[in-house]
Amino acid sequence: MSNQTIRPVPAFEPPYYTAVFTSVQTETTEGYAETAERMMQLVKEIPGFLGYESARAPGGLGISVGYFKDEDAIAAWQRDLEHQAAQRRGRAEWYASYSLHVGKVERSHGFERE
Amino acid sequence: MSNQTIRPVPAFEPPYYTAVFTSVQTETTEGYAETAERMMQLVKEIPGFLGYESARAPGGLGISVGYFKDEDAIAAWQRDLEHQAAQRRGRAEWYASYSLHVGKVERSHGFERE
């Protein structure tokens, strides 16, 4: 896929929410890709889900950002039982460390080359 | 550097701010790495700067997150003239598209393997 076809999740009109998840993985990767794929499918069904993007430096830190319309959307995603099971497995197997920062977006700005 | 030595920026006690910058680059990379390095030095001098982390999928989307104590810290960084010049050059040369989302963190959570 060329850069021309990739676009960042846009700058929405505030307020909305960002959930920033940063992580360092263990050497255990069994089941990770399948679970990540399944979570991507599931979160798209949450009313108020706005978008998701992720990047990982090879062998290093990963950063994922989920975009949500409001607190209800985030709460609905947190209540999802399959998501909760994936989080437990993440702590048991896949993650050496992680941080989650849930913020209410007050200001946003986008740029796209002509 | 092994995974054991990399740690995410920690989950601070809210409130604090995240500035999420997601971008797709052009094919012009001249001067980018030096400028990014210089910005890293400069932002560390801002009172209330808490941390920074960045990841880019090879050939794809990059995600950078800056962590700041309060709005004053973010405003100081935005007023920095060298930072403003780098932003102009970014729009002129380095970025095909980007989004910036500045949010006030209301909830945070961290995990570290024993």
Side-chain angles (χ1 to χ4, degrees):
Chain A
M1 190 155 52
S2 82
N3 275 0
Q4 276 62 49
T5 63
I6 306 172
R7 281 193 173 73
V9 169
F12 303 102
E13 187 71 31
Y16 56 97
Y17 280 79
T18 49
V20 177
F21 180 80
T22 58
S23 64
V24 176
Q25 292 181 315
T26 64
E27 289 173 6
T28 305
T29 58
E30 193 199 329
Y32 176 78
E34 298 86 330
T35 303
E37 179 65 29
R38 174 65 180 151
M39 291 303 111
M40 277 299 304
Q41 293 172 357
L42 271 182
V43 73
K44 286 177 183 166
E45 296 171 15
I46 300 287
F49 170 76
L50 298 176
Y52 173 84
E53 52 203 356
S54 189
R56 183 173 295 277
L61 185 86
I63 306 178
S64 302
V65 185
Y67 301 85
F68 296 89
K69 184 174 181 291
D70 51 29
E71 294 180 79
D72 286 350
I74 293 181
W77 178 228
Q78 290 176 326
R79 275 195 309 271
D80 185 279
L81 296 180
E82 207 173 327
H83 180 209
Q84 290 178 9
Q87 291 176 312
R88 283 193 298 273
R89 190 167 174 197
R91 286 189 292 269
E93 297 181 40
W94 300 317
Y95 295 119
S97 55
Y98 65 69
S99 299
L100 174 70
H101 316 265
V102 177
K104 184 178 188 175
V105 176
E106 299 180 345
R107 193 160 47 79
S108 69
H109 172 67
F111 166 77
E112 188 148 350
R113 184 168 294 273
E114 297 290 312
Chain B
M1 192 154 51
S2 80
N3 273 0
Q4 276 63 47
T5 63
I6 306 171
R7 282 194 173 70
V9 170
F12 303 102
E13 188 70 30
Y16 55 98
Y17 280 79
T18 50
V20 177
F21 180 80
T22 59
S23 65
V24 176
Q25 293 181 315
T26 63
E27 289 171 8
T28 305
T29 59
E30 192 198 332
Y32 176 77
E34 298 87 329
T35 303
E37 178 65 30
R38 173 66 179 150
M39 290 305 111
M40 276 300 304
Q41 293 172 356
L42 270 182
V43 74
K44 286 177 183 167
E45 297 172 13
I46 300 287
F49 169 76
L50 298 176
Y52 173 84
E53 50 203 358
S54 188
R56 183 173 295 276
L61 185 85
I63 306 178
S64 302
V65 185
Y67 301 85
F68 296 90
K69 184 174 180 291
D70 51 29
E71 294 180 79
D72 286 350
I74 293 181
W77 178 229
Q78 289 176 327
R79 277 195 309 270
D80 184 280
L81 295 180
E82 208 173 326
H83 181 209
Q84 290 178 8
Q87 290 177 313
R88 284 193 296 274
R89 190 166 173 196
R91 287 189 291 271
E93 298 180 42
W94 299 317
Y95 296 118
S97 55
Y98 65 67
S99 298
L100 175 70
H101 316 266
V102 177
K104 184 178 188 175
V105 176
E106 300 180 345
R107 193 160 46 79
S108 68
H109 173 66
F111 166 78
E112 188 148 351
R113 184 166 296 271
E114 300 288 313

